[in-house]
């Protein structure tokens, strides 16, 4: 296969490495970096020193900045195009490749910030708005880039209403260390990938305050219930949230030490400001940017999401960590489901 990965951050680089080594080395993979200096350094040193230091790029992986060749031309003739930008960059990228005839998949997880009075959109809603002719979907699931780059066992889910997209993602990435499962529920997979980031901030806060393992388990479980309620209201299947992109990604992001969103919660519990916490990461923490949109969409659908609401109040400075805990524990009793 000919595979083009657009975005040379940690996750885009890790997947490009995975597709161009081992059994999958039969693939011809090109990794596009927006910054020309970064692309030149990666191609020369054969490492992504900024995002995945110490992990050499496979010999067959080509790195380009695309300055001499526009993105539409780069996409021509590819068997699969993967967009590996943050959520904030997805709209612009889709606009540039809207006439691409190859299957397209994005990796970002979140909601687009609301603008011009409109509700923040999920990735597939952005695609329907700016590039409706694309055959597109998402590759998601519980995964840290560093572990995928090291070929440690990982399972992901390829979600799209189009069989051609799901099939292309399986062919591209399924291998000895990376399993890829198919799912037609694009909405459910995207909701899971977005909301788990918000819930991971809450879990990091819980652990940072030393509330104990009982509290962590309760928070993850009730967070999963919130995620499912929102997803079903948006048209997802409830069973999707018991899979890789729901429960699986939530557990990983809420408890894993490599989780940036969990780290934000831990730092807030220590008394750091949101600005300092985010600045210390060196990477994007999508939960910080989409939490307000998650709550906004939930309110518009009359979906109760008390944990997410407390996260937003915390991020906005309207509530201190201890107050957030008190607010959640002080809620009236109710049925579990």
């Amino acid at each position: 296969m000919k595979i083009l990965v657009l975005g040379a951050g940690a996750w885009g680089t890790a997947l490009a490495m995975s597709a161009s080594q081992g059994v999958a080395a039969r693939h011809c993979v090109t990794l596009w970096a927006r910054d020309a200096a970064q692309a030149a350094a990666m191609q020369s040193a054969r490492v992504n020193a900024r995002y995945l230091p110490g992990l050499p790029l496979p010999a067959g992986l080509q790195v380009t900045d695309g300055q001499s060749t526009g993105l539409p031309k780069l996409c021509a003739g590819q068997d699969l195009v993967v967009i590996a930008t943050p959520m904030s960059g997805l709209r612009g990228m889709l606009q540039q490749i809207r006439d691409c005839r190859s299957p397209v998949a994005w990796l970002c997880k979140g909601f687009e910030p609301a603008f011009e009075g409109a509700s923040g959109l999920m990735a597939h809603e952005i695609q329907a708005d700016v590039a409706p002719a694309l055959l597109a979907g998402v590759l998601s699931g519980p995964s840290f880039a560093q572990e995928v780059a090291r070929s440690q066992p990982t399972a992901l889910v390829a979600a799209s209403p189009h069989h051609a997209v799901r099939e292309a993602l399986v062919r591209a990435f399924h291998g000895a260390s990376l399993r890829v499962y198919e799912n037609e529920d694009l909405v459910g997979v995207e909701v899971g990938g977005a909301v788990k980031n918000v819930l991971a901030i809450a879990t990091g806060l819980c652990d940072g305050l030393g509330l104990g393992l009982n509290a962590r388990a309760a928070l993850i479980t009730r967070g999963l219930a919130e995620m499912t309620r929102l997803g079903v209201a948006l048209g997802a299947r409830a069973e999707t949230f018991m899979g890789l992109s729901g429960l699986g990604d939530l557990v990983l992001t809420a408890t894993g030490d490599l989780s940036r969103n969990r780290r934000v919660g831990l730092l807030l519990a220590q008394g750091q400001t949101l600005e300092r916490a985010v600045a210390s990461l060196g990477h994007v923490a999508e939960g910080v940017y989409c939490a307000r949109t998650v709550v906004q969409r939930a309110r518009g659908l009359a979906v109760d999401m008390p944990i997410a609401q407390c996260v937003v109040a915390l991020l906005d400075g309207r509530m201190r960590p201890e107050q957030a805990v008190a607010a959640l524990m002080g809620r009236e009793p109710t049925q579990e489901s």
Side-chain angles (χ1 to χ4, degrees):
M1 290 181 71
K2 291 184 66 179
I3 303 168
L4 174 64
V5 179
L6 301 174
W11 192 211
T13 302
L15 274 179
M17 292 170 65
S18 178
S20 54
Q21 62 190 358
V23 176
R26 64 186 182 277
H27 300 319
C28 178
V29 185
T30 299
L31 177 62
W32 177 89
R34 184 182 304 275
D35 182 80
Q38 181 195 12
M42 289 175 62
Q43 183 68 9
S44 174
R46 305 306 300 167
V47 67
N48 189 333
R50 178 178 179 183
Y51 293 107
L52 294 173
L55 297 173
L57 302 179
L61 176 59
Q62 297 299 309
V63 184
T64 181
D65 62 10
Q67 296 299 315
S68 58
T69 306
L71 288 184
K73 192 170 182 180
L74 271 178
C75 291
Q78 299 290 337
D79 297 305
L80 175 66
V81 176
V82 178
I83 301 175
T85 66
M87 195 69 188
S88 59
L90 180 62
R91 178 177 290 270
M93 191 64 72
L94 286 171
Q95 287 173 333
Q96 291 187 68
I97 66 168
R98 60 183 178 273
D99 295 323
C100 179
R101 296 185 180 181
S102 308
V104 174
W106 44 82
L107 307 178
C108 49
K109 301 174 180 179
F111 284 76
E112 186 180 48
F115 65 96
E116 297 180 357
S119 297
L121 303 180
M122 289 181 285
H124 76 275
E125 294 171 324
I126 299 171
Q127 181 248 317
D129 181 36
V130 302
L134 288 180
L135 291 181
V138 64
L139 184 65
S140 192
S143 49
F144 289 136
Q146 294 94 324
E147 295 190 2
V148 171
R150 294 190 187 105
S151 297
Q152 293 179 261
T154 302
L156 300 175
V157 57
S160 173
H162 308 289
H163 175 71
V165 177
R166 302 193 304 271
E167 181 183 44
L169 286 167
V170 172
R171 286 178 57 209
F173 298 111
H174 191 92
S177 62
L178 184 59
R179 293 188 60 82
V180 181
Y181 294 83
E182 294 187 41
N183 193 326
E184 296 180 11
D185 185 11
L186 178 58
V187 175
V189 169
E190 287 195 341
V191 171
V195 177
K196 60 92 181 179
N197 286 327
V198 181
L199 299 173
I201 295 174
T203 312
L205 181 72
C206 169
D207 289 348
L209 292 174
L211 300 183
L213 299 178
N214 292 350
R216 179 203 281 181
L219 192 58
I220 291 174
T221 305
R222 296 313 303 162
L224 180 62
E226 289 191 17
M227 176 193 295
T228 304
R229 286 198 295 269
L230 177 61
V232 170
L234 287 167
R237 302 172 186 166
E239 59 266 27
T240 297
F241 300 99
M242 295 306 296
L244 290 167
S245 62
L247 178 61
D249 212 354
L250 174 58
V251 169
L252 179 75
T253 311
T255 65
D257 290 336
L258 294 175
S259 167
R260 297 189 294 272
N261 293 283
R262 169 180 163 78
R263 181 67 179 160
V264 169
L266 289 169
L267 293 173
L268 292 175
Q270 294 170 11
Q272 289 199 22
T273 64
L274 177 61
E275 292 74 17
R276 284 188 61 190
V278 171
S280 70
L281 299 176
H283 299 258
V284 174
E286 292 284 10
V288 173
Y289 302 104
C290 79
R292 297 171 186 83
T293 307
V294 166
V295 169
Q296 180 189 55
R297 293 288 296 260
R299 285 175 176 161
L301 295 166
V303 173
D304 190 27
M305 298 188 71
I307 298 173
Q309 289 167 6
C310 282
V311 170
V312 171
L314 187 70
L315 296 177
D316 287 347
R318 294 183 283 108
M319 192 177 282
R320 296 192 305 274
E322 296 81 3
Q323 291 175 316
V325 175
L328 290 173
M329 294 303 295
R331 285 170 51 82
E332 290 296 317
T334 186
Q335 292 185 341
E336 183 178 33
S337 60

